[in-house]
Amino acid sequence: MPTPQPRRPHQTRSGRGSFAVLDPATGEPFDEAPDQRPEELDAIVDRAHTAWLHWRADTNADARAAALLAAADAVEQAGPDLAPLLTREQGKPLPESYAEVARTAARLRYFATLAPQTQPIQDGRAVRSEIRWRPLGPVAAIVPWNFPLQLASAKFAPALAAGNTVVLKPSPFTPLATRMLGSVLAAVLPEDVLTIVTGREPLGERLASHPGIRHVTFTGSVPTGRAVARGAASSLARVTLELGGNDAAILLDDVDVEQIADRLFWAAFRNCGQICMAVKRVYAPVRLYSEVVEALAQRANQTVVGPGLEAGSQLGPVNNAPQLARIERYAAGALAAGARAAAGGGRLDRPGYFFAPTILADVPAQSPVVTQEQFGPVLPVLPYQSVEQAVEAANDTGFGLGGSVWGTDLDRAEQVAGRLECGTVWINHHGELSLAQPFAGAKESGVGVAGGPWGLSGNLRPFVVHRPLEA
Ligand code: NAD
């Protein structure tokens, strides 16, 4: 996905650069954020390094854990301020913003309890050797606009717990709730341990390649991930990349369509489909094809689409204009190539970036809406003749984030799921994650592992100490 830029940079009254932040429910600007210049990063990274010299100390582990627990409480208490702002700039329904705030707090609590442990090395030799895990230094965290707070916390919670400091850059489409989160956390964390920077490119590019950064942890699209890796290579900083996905859901011929249809629909459409691990393609056996298309179309037609701050909205607008244009292009391209819109098919006739939840049937398998990541409320449903063919089609992609298999015979479903080339598979579900699990994409969906103890390890390096048993 190309990296779109927010519009309308201008000067604030203070003379400092800023950029407008738009409400996707209206398409109109409602606030602004500082457009920080890349040159400012030198001083910011310097301060993050100075703060790290204290925050990293082994003796500080208990203090770090206490600070992260206090941070979790502070985030929860700020929910009534954070959630509406998040909805305003991101578009998602308000209850989902509250859920995102809750998950941000939960992640801080989870990592607060995961202190790095010294490990003995047992190899039969008469020496005492052990691994003492050490933090890396200042970490650059760069996140997209679909889950600004949750994805930020997925980066800073393990990085801080490991004893690193963090410079965090949100997407310029969603900088405001993250800035507010930064203020909330500044009250409970030592100075410069977590710094939020906002601005348009090349701010992210310069942050990823800054010589003072020792780990770049990035979530976003594959093309930007490549650019980030190239930038980090200049200082040989470690990279963790969580990139795009094109997850397939394979329905087996013993599936109970009515029983799973709600779950399958929302696994594709929650957050307007703007989830790396959303179901982005459905493969249904020929015998059940019409039934599956009809069941999903019925749900799409019944979904209440409206501003995220309006009570009852189940689906908000798409986050930004370039993303809306991309979805329109993919849907229109598929329709022009012979697909049929069983539900939706285009923009809603109202201000803002609203797109009707769309179910596409009879889509040519080579349509970009099938082969690329649509990242929006458009779902292609494709028929298959044999399970073999469905597995082959599901794996026929450069992405490898997630996948799912749906059926009544769980053993058979699990056996088919085991053949999917991706980081996580689900049976009769899709997209549910535990804080304790590793999160890693196969193929071009990622580099490195986030989540659980692996997420902590990704922010540490082994420091090995050998000593004889006697002098
Ligand atoms: P994006 O790659 O355009 O931008 C991500 C972030 O990188 C933003 O903060 C952006 O400002 C910044 N950026 C842009 N150019 C940069 C550069 N040259 N160097 C450094 N940083 C730069 O992605 P997006 O459109 O914001 O988000 C959507 C993408 O994110 C989708 O592909 C989606 O699948 C992916 N995503 C992945 C996961 C995951 O965990 N695997 C989770 C959420 C989203």
Side-chain angles (χ1 to χ4, degrees):
M1 186 182 300
T3 301
Q5 292 280 310
R7 294 177 288 154
R8 304 181 217 207
H10 61 274
Q11 297 291 309
T12 55
R13 274 187 295 268
S14 65
R16 199 169 177 213
S18 75
F19 60 90
V21 181
L22 276 57
D23 178 345
T26 62
E28 295 299 324
F30 75 99
D31 206 341
E32 54 188 36
D35 196 11
Q36 287 178 269
R37 285 170 288 114
E39 304 81 79
E40 294 177 48
L41 289 173
D42 288 345
I44 289 167
V45 174
D46 264 2
R47 286 200 300 275
H49 185 267
T50 305
W52 175 63
L53 298 178
H54 181 68
W55 181 253
R56 71 177 176 178
D58 286 345
T59 48
N60 256 350
D62 288 346
R64 282 202 301 270
L68 294 182
L69 291 174
D73 292 344
V75 170
E76 239 159 31
Q77 281 158 20
D81 295 320
L82 283 168
L85 182 59
L86 179 59
T87 286
R88 193 84 196 275
E89 65 178 349
Q90 203 284 333
K92 63 184 67 182
L94 188 57
E96 291 182 28
S97 288
Y98 272 101
E100 183 165 346
V101 172
R103 282 193 292 269
T104 302
R107 197 169 255 123
L108 280 160
R109 269 194 200 105
Y110 174 80
F111 281 105
T113 61
L114 271 196
Q117 302 292 330
T118 297
Q119 286 169 263
I121 298 173
Q122 279 152 351
D123 59 3
R125 289 184 305 147
V127 294
R128 195 178 83 194
S129 49
E130 62 187 23
I131 309 170
R132 299 176 195 169
W133 293 95
R134 291 278 192 255
L136 303 168
V139 171
I142 301 176
V143 295
W145 43 259
N146 57 339
F147 288 94
L149 302 183
Q150 199 177 318
L151 292 174
S153 71
K155 308 209 166 297
F156 68 67
L160 296 179
N164 303 293
T165 52
V166 175
V167 180
L168 166 67
K169 193 199 83 64
S171 164
F173 289 112
T174 51
L176 301 175
T178 311
R179 275 172 58 76
M180 185 185 280
L181 178 72
S183 309
V184 167
L185 296 180
V188 289
L189 295 175
E191 203 175 3
D192 297 325
V193 158
L194 174 66
T195 308
I196 316 294
V197 295
T198 60
R200 299 169 320 124
E201 284 311 304
L203 188 67
E205 183 190 325
R206 293 281 279 279
L207 179 59
S209 56
H210 196 282
I213 293 293
R214 297 314 314 146
H215 176 202
V216 185
T217 171
F218 169 84
T219 297
S221 62
V222 172
T224 313
R226 281 203 182 88
V228 163
R230 276 195 297 273
S234 62
S235 55
L236 290 178
R238 183 181 295 187
V239 288
T240 304
L241 305 175
E242 296 172 49
L243 307 177
N246 190 10
D247 292 10
I250 298 178
L251 275 51
L252 298 178
D253 54 8
D254 64 348
V255 75
D256 181 335
V257 176
E258 265 313 300
Q259 199 189 36
I260 60 120
D262 279 340
R263 240 176 299 144
L264 179 63
F265 177 80
W266 285 109
F269 284 89
R270 194 167 70 81
N271 204 29
C272 237
Q274 301 163 130
I275 303 183
C276 55
M277 282 192 159
V279 169
K280 297 194 174 121
R281 305 172 276 159
V282 172
Y283 291 93
V286 169
R287 186 176 67 79
L288 296 176
Y289 186 68
S290 304
E291 192 187 344
V292 172
V293 169
E294 188 46 42
L296 291 171
Q298 198 186 0
R299 279 147 184 93
N301 287 327
Q302 285 166 355
T303 299
V304 181
V305 182
L309 289 175
E310 212 167 274
S313 291
Q314 293 175 294
L315 223 54
V318 168
N319 175 256
N320 57 71
Q323 183 57 23
L324 181 69
R326 172 193 176 88
I327 295 159
E328 263 189 302
R329 200 169 61 245
Y330 277 14
L335 292 170
R340 170 173 67 87
R347 287 181 71 155
L348 293 185
D349 185 19
R350 57 181 296 169
Y353 306 143
F354 290 95
F355 198 93
T358 295
I359 303 295
L360 293 177
D362 309 327
V363 190
Q366 290 315 312
S367 283
V369 76
V370 178
T371 59
Q372 305 298 314
E373 183 184 33
Q374 67 272 43
F375 215 61
V378 178
L379 182 65
V381 186
L382 298 108
Y384 72 81
Q385 302 283 349
S386 68
V387 172
E388 194 60 39
Q389 190 192 23
V391 169
E392 204 174 293
N395 288 337
D396 185 19
T397 167
F399 295 107
L401 203 53
S404 56
V405 179
W406 306 65
T408 306
D409 179 343
L410 296 182
D411 289 339
R412 177 171 169 239
E414 185 174 342
Q415 194 248 333
V416 175
R419 298 172 60 195
L420 297 185
E421 294 163 2
C422 54
T424 310
V425 283
W426 293 268
I427 316 291
N428 292 344
H429 280 275
H430 196 113
E432 288 179 11
L433 296 171
S434 151
L435 290 176
Q437 78 170 77
F439 184 79
K443 300 193 264 186
E444 290 188 357
S445 284
V447 172
V449 185
W454 304 270
L456 190 75
S457 307
N459 284 284
L460 293 162
R461 64 179 175 82
F463 175 59
V464 180
V465 179
H466 290 268
R467 56 170 274 183
L469 294 180
E470 291 173 16

